[in-house]
Amino acid sequence: MTSRYYITTPIYYVNAEPHIGHAYTTIVADVMNRFHKLIGCKTYFLTGTDEHGDKIVQAAQEAGVDPKTYVDRISGMFRDTWPKLNISNDYFIRTTDPDHIRVVQYILQKVYDSGDIYFSKYKGLYCVGCERFYTERELVDGKCPDHDKPLVEREEANYFFRMSKYQSWLMEYIEANPDFIRPERYRNEVLAFLREPLEDLCISRPVERLSWGIPLPFDDRYVTYVWFDALINYVTALGYPDGAKFDEFWPVVEHTIAKDILKPHGIYWPTIIKAAGLPPYRHLNVHGYWKINEGKMSKSHGTVVRPLDLVPVYGLDAFRYFVLREMVFGLDSNFSEDALVQRINSDLANDLGNLFSRTLAMTLKYFDGKVPPFGDPPDEMDRELIAQVEEAVRQTLEELPRLGFHKALIAIWECVNRANKYIDHVGPWTLAKDPAQLGHLQTVIRNLLELNRVVAVLISPFMPETAEKMLDRLGVPKPALEIRLSEDGRWGSLREGTPVSKGEALFPRVEKTDAAAGAPQKEKAPAKEKPAEEAPPEPIPFELFKQVDLRAGIVKHAERVPKSKKLLRLLVDIGEERQVVAGIAQTHAPEDLVGKQVIVVANLQPAKLMGIESHGMVLAVRDGEALQLLTTQKPVTPGRRVS
Ligand code: MSP
């Protein structure tokens, strides 16, 4: 029987636009969904928006529109964001959907009929400005945190859910199922809550205080408390109470949340499900918080990081890779654009991008661009390489089901790094010079191609676009992402003679652009002049110098890069037209450059600066403040090589 897998994200409040925190949870769920598909599970992936309650009414009032118009607008922003982050959700739920309202009322009635909801008076501290009760813990200096005013004691009649009745059951269940709530620190936190007496949960609000909610089916003077309404989305989306989907996926449901909403998910929800006569969820996966400059993300401090500001500049897969590699699931992490740039340039451009392009370039050069057969039997170094790949497959299979994203990525990158070293050690270019070494060369290149294929499959849940590009260029037949990891972890499943293609660099190098508009960036230290006594670089062989392709060119077009003080975008004729981004805007006006003869490094790996690809570099000499462009004494034909 095919295994099943059901993953959910929280349904997000529609009182704020999607930011890196929302994006992280949703990307985590996406990786889990894609991974389980890859290993052959039938999956279901749910996300959506939480649209009732006083927070939403307040946000709508601030925006000057009625709640319905407001929730439609913000919910739409979430719905439109997810495809841009390549999120593979099967369903997007809204708590204002009529079928959700029906399911909430069905469960309320069921629990009411069984005697677990009762009517009672509630006495507490009430803020007239906020129109709500506060608990002692929420107060700041004994006052309302928003209005800075003392609260009044008030009595209100409401409906209560007998949560306390399920306290000992829940404790025992958590004790007996150690990974019900994971990682362990959050399980311990919930157990600590449960060691204190658990109060019953107030699940209604009088209509005169809040009308934007789901009416109680047994008393229309009240609407449902927003958490009781919201949690039920996880069963609504499966067509509860009828339908095969519910039977199929409910037994394997996993929720993913951050630590902020541990209590509703770790305590309210399991007891509500129990009272409704449903089995508990399988896992609650809880992660930490993204912080900015070690602090909380805040709108008023302008430190909200929005994924849609970063993705166009740095690339989607680079962003997905970064958040999954950087955060240890369960712990807090600090976001900084410097760290993002650093990871892109080292892990992605230098390690993976370089390995892939070297492998394909050598296949083109030595085997006419076709997958060679395995030649000589594997030697010690080949066997070590294969063992490293097997280890990466093993660790990915072991770590992903328990959310060890960074560990799986480390294991995959160990394999990438070993392959780069393998190339440097073996030196295929030397083997290629000796016809007697053809068998060895075939084995080396074939091993590298196979390794790249396995790496592409392993990274496919994290970076689906990159994986697809890699498999495509390796000539793996489509649909590439449906390849099952269990079969595909095998060595040697490429077909001999299949043509491969090189394509553009997977990850051009990037420079920091301060695209995370919200995040205050550190002042950049002024570029240091190199001290005069600094030792000159080591001598290099002429052969190495010859590898630098310097060409004479003529600037055809020059313009400023928007929002950048330093950069100009140039189109340079070097026998062909090249787009080059040059850091010369502070010393050269664009209009003075057109028609100028320049010298261009034509074979640099492409780089992205402020989101614009640069395919070369214009040479210049700095002399104090002045920057002189290198040129020729007399005009020469564009494309002539400098020697
Ligand atoms: N509507 C409720 C959830 C109901 S689920 C039945 C809610 N919404 S929320 O919009 O506030 O989203 C909270 C969730 O957003 C967190 O649990 C987490 O998934 C994500 N994040 C919000 N800020 C975050 C960080 N700074 N860091 C990481 N994730 C965070 O609560």
Side-chain angles (χ1 to χ4, degrees), residues 8-17 19-26 48-52 55-56 78 95 226-227 229-234 255-262 264-265 269 286-292 295-297 327 332-333:
T8 72
T9 72
I11 46 169
Y12 303 109
Y13 284 132
V14 288
N15 60 355
E17 296 170 50
H19 57 59
I20 186 174
H22 306 122
Y24 176 73
T25 320
T26 314
T49 44
D50 186 357
E51 306 186 3
H52 290 127
K55 280 192 190 181
I56 309 300
F78 276 91
T95 53
V226 64
W227 271 106
D229 154 2
L231 289 160
I232 288 173
N233 91 86
Y234 300 134
H255 301 306
T256 313
I257 60 165
K259 61 184 185 180
D260 56 334
I261 51 177
L262 177 61
H265 283 83
W269 184 222
V286 189
H287 63 78
Y289 247 45
W290 280 99
K291 297 187 164 172
I292 313 298
K296 235 184 147 180
M297 225 182 318
M327 183 174 256
D332 290 350
S333 216

Side-chain angles (χ1 to χ4, degrees), residues 247-282:
D247 298 337
E248 203 174 7
F249 288 108
W250 185 252
V252 292
V253 56
E254 303 217 354
H255 301 306
T256 313
I257 60 165
K259 61 184 185 180
D260 56 334
I261 51 177
L262 177 61
K263 194 172 175 185
H265 283 83
I267 296 183
Y268 304 174
W269 184 222
T271 55
I272 295 172
I273 309 173
K274 178 79 178 159
L278 301 174
Y281 51 75
R282 190 164 64 168

Side-chain angles (χ1 to χ4, degrees), residues 75-215:
S75 175
M77 281 167 80
F78 276 91
R79 190 194 284 266
D80 293 347
T81 295
W82 302 142
K84 294 181 189 143
L85 301 186
N86 223 338
I87 301 300
S88 57
N89 57 304
D90 295 289
Y91 193 55
F92 186 96
I93 194 164
R94 300 182 57 182
T95 53
T96 48
D97 290 341
D99 58 343
H100 176 68
I101 295 171
R102 269 196 305 275
V103 176
V104 171
Q105 292 184 329
Y106 174 87
I107 290 184
L108 279 165
Q109 189 68 53
K110 196 171 175 194
V111 179
Y112 182 72
D113 291 345
S114 70
D116 278 346
I117 290 178
Y118 61 92
F119 192 59
S120 173
K121 287 224 165 80
Y122 174 78
K123 203 169 175 185
L125 294 168
Y126 188 81
C127 170
V128 183
C130 299
E131 295 179 37
R132 79 168 182 95
F133 285 93
Y134 275 90
T135 60
E136 294 276 359
R137 265 199 289 165
E138 288 176 296
L139 305 182
V140 177
D141 300 328
K143 294 181 187 164
C144 163
D146 284 349
H147 293 89
D148 195 29
K149 284 196 183 137
L151 288 97
V152 290
E153 205 163 77
R154 184 160 165 171
E155 203 174 62
E156 193 174 271
N158 264 310
Y159 284 88
F160 289 82
F161 164 54
R162 276 187 221 285
M163 198 156 70
S164 56
K165 177 174 158 190
Y166 298 99
Q167 176 166 8
S168 48
W169 164 79
L170 182 57
M171 249 179 129
E172 280 159 27
Y173 192 83
I174 297 176
E175 301 278 11
N177 295 276
D179 60 359
F180 180 57
I181 298 173
R182 57 187 185 178
E184 204 184 349
R185 51 173 39 222
Y186 298 112
R187 168 180 187 260
N188 293 340
E189 223 173 276
V190 170
L191 283 173
F193 274 135
L194 288 171
R195 279 189 205 107
E196 303 296 320
L198 193 61
E199 285 181 10
D200 288 344
L201 184 69
C202 176
I203 53 132
S204 66
R205 296 291 180 267
V207 173
E208 64 266 20
R209 202 145 68 69
L210 174 75
S211 59
W212 185 242
I214 301 180

Side-chain angles (χ1 to χ4, degrees), residues 365-633:
K365 192 159 175 190
Y366 306 136
F367 296 106
D368 203 18
K370 301 213 171 71
V371 175
F374 284 108
D376 291 355
D379 61 16
E380 173 102 25
M381 212 182 274
D382 299 321
R383 278 195 295 272
E384 274 174 21
L385 185 78
I386 296 169
Q388 187 89 52
V389 176
E390 282 166 356
E391 179 60 13
V393 173
R394 195 187 64 72
Q395 292 225 25
T396 306
L397 290 172
E398 193 173 295
E399 289 297 340
L400 284 194
R402 56 180 188 219
L403 307 122
F405 306 109
H406 76 291
K407 286 196 185 153
L409 288 171
I410 289 172
I412 300 168
W413 255 254
E414 268 166 13
C415 177
V416 168
N417 291 335
R418 182 176 283 266
N420 271 322
K421 284 196 193 112
Y422 170 86
I423 299 177
D424 298 339
H425 272 99
V426 176
W429 42 90
T430 321
L431 301 181
K433 286 188 189 137
D434 179 359
Q437 294 284 352
L438 177 64
H440 191 183
L441 184 64
Q442 284 172 329
T443 299
V444 168
I445 301 299
R446 179 66 183 264
N447 277 342
L448 288 167
L449 288 166
E450 297 290 351
L451 180 140
N452 274 283
R453 179 186 58 81
V454 177
V455 165
V457 176
L458 294 180
I459 64 169
S460 65
F462 302 90
M463 296 192 273
E465 271 177 10
T466 305
E468 196 160 337
K469 247 189 236 171
M470 289 175 74
L471 291 169
D472 217 36
R473 292 187 203 167
L474 289 167
V476 176
K478 289 207 162 177
L481 293 180
E482 278 177 19
I483 298 161
R484 301 278 170 257
L485 192 60
S486 46
E487 289 164 28
D488 207 52
R490 262 182 314 137
W491 202 246
S493 74
L494 286 175
R495 254 170 298 154
E496 186 188 322
T498 308
V500 302
S501 55
K502 189 153 184 298
E504 304 251 284
L506 287 180
F507 296 99
R509 290 180 69 78
V510 294
E511 281 204 355
K512 187 172 157 227
T513 62
D514 296 352
Q521 305 295 335
K522 280 182 267 150
E523 273 293 304
K524 259 198 192 155
K528 282 192 200 131
E529 282 279 305
K530 276 198 180 153
E533 68 274 19
E534 192 176 294
E538 289 290 307
I540 54 165
F542 181 62
E543 284 300 309
L544 192 58
F545 170 71
K546 266 196 354 197
Q547 288 179 24
V548 185
D549 187 14
L550 296 171
R551 303 270 169 178
I554 292 179
V555 179
K556 293 290 175 195
H557 172 85
E559 64 183 32
R560 289 189 169 277
V561 170
K563 294 198 209 145
S564 169
K565 279 195 220 140
K566 286 200 211 148
L567 300 180
L568 293 183
R569 184 177 82 91
L570 310 177
L571 295 178
V572 187
D573 178 2
I574 54 163
E576 60 182 56
E577 192 173 86
R578 278 292 175 90
Q579 173 169 287
V580 175
V581 180
I584 55 175
Q586 283 165 322
T587 47
H588 292 79
E591 54 279 14
D592 295 342
L593 287 169
V594 176
K596 282 257 152 50
Q597 187 101 48
V598 288
I599 305 295
V600 175
V601 184
N603 63 339
L604 267 190
Q605 283 185 358
K608 241 187 195 175
L609 299 127
M610 297 288 280
I612 303 175
E613 284 216 7
S614 181
H615 294 267
M617 183 173 125
V618 172
L619 291 184
V621 184
R622 180 170 287 284
D623 187 12
E625 289 296 291
L627 190 70
Q628 306 288 344
L629 290 177
L630 260 62
T631 184
T632 52
Q633 275 180 311

